[in-house]
Amino acid sequence: MNEIHLAQAAKITSPNPISLVCTRRTDGGTNLAPVSWWTYLSYKPGMIGFAMSQKSYSGQCVQASKSVVLTVPGEALAQKAMQCGGVSGSTTDKAAQFGIDLMPVGGTDIQIPVHTRLAIVCRLKEYHAVGDHNLYLCEVTNVYADETQNALFAWGGYAALGPASPHNP
């Protein structure tokens, strides 16, 4: 075996899940931020966890409102989901700039992208600093799915987004 960097591990373990964390912006709109890691923590009570940079505007929004919707974007959002990671929601309405249509979902006033396979509505329970990221532990209040949407995955260490299929490298 050869010693590699952790970033290289993400590349050789493709595909990796990709999600969009939807938070309430300070102006009341919806902020969208791609997140590469989240997991189910408990079914009773329902809990998930996800990690975000300590510097992220979305993390600040989660901490302020105690509300978040973790979504698994559909295939139609492949290009747009990646673009959401390139600008800060503190200065940019990402949904407007990238033409992402939003819709309401039950249990929250945070809107989500129309092309969403899975939406997990949560309340922040607690968060912890883990290196340069925060680990957010959230209680699940509602879960919605649209199984007609193909989920996105990251390929080649997050170089590209696409569905999981035998046609991807």
Side-chain angles (χ1 to χ4, degrees), residues 18-102:
I18 189 74
S19 58
L20 284 175
V21 168
C22 305
T23 56
R24 186 179 316 108
R25 292 169 41 97
T26 53
D27 66 5
T30 296
N31 187 52
L32 307 167
V35 171
S36 60
W37 183 85
W38 71 275
T39 190
Y40 300 100
L41 298 172
S42 172
Y43 294 120
K44 291 185 181 182
M47 293 187 66
I48 63 166
F50 62 93
M52 297 187 85
S53 168
Q54 289 181 357
K55 298 177 184 178
S56 79
Y57 174 71
S58 294
Q60 294 170 18
C61 291
V62 173
Q63 292 170 32
S65 72
K66 308 287 190 249
S67 298
V68 62
V69 183
L70 184 127
T71 66
V72 174
E75 187 175 1
L77 294 175
Q79 196 96 31
K80 297 173 182 186
M82 196 70 105
Q83 291 172 320
C84 286
V87 296
S88 173
S90 65
T91 57
T92 305
D93 180 341
K94 297 177 191 182
Q97 180 165 329
F98 302 126
I100 300 172
D101 294 325
L102 300 175

Side-chain angles (χ1 to χ4, degrees), residues 77-165:
L77 294 175
Q79 196 96 31
K80 297 173 182 186
M82 196 70 105
Q83 291 172 320
C84 286
V87 296
S88 173
S90 65
T91 57
T92 305
D93 180 341
K94 297 177 191 182
Q97 180 165 329
F98 302 126
I100 300 172
D101 294 325
L102 300 175
M103 66 181 183
V105 66
T108 184
D109 61 352
I110 299 170
Q111 293 192 323
I112 66 169
V114 169
H115 298 286
T116 294
R117 180 170 174 86
L118 178 69
I120 304 174
V121 180
C122 301
R123 296 279 308 149
L124 176 65
K125 183 174 180 180
E126 59 189 88
Y127 67 97
H128 302 275
V130 288
D132 59 355
H133 281 60
N134 284 329
L135 175 62
Y136 293 90
L137 307 177
C138 301
E139 295 178 282
V140 174
T141 60
N142 301 81
V143 182
Y144 302 94
D146 179 351
E147 294 184 51
T148 66
Q149 298 288 325
N150 290 325
L152 285 178
F153 291 86
W155 294 88
Y158 301 94
L161 300 181
S165 77

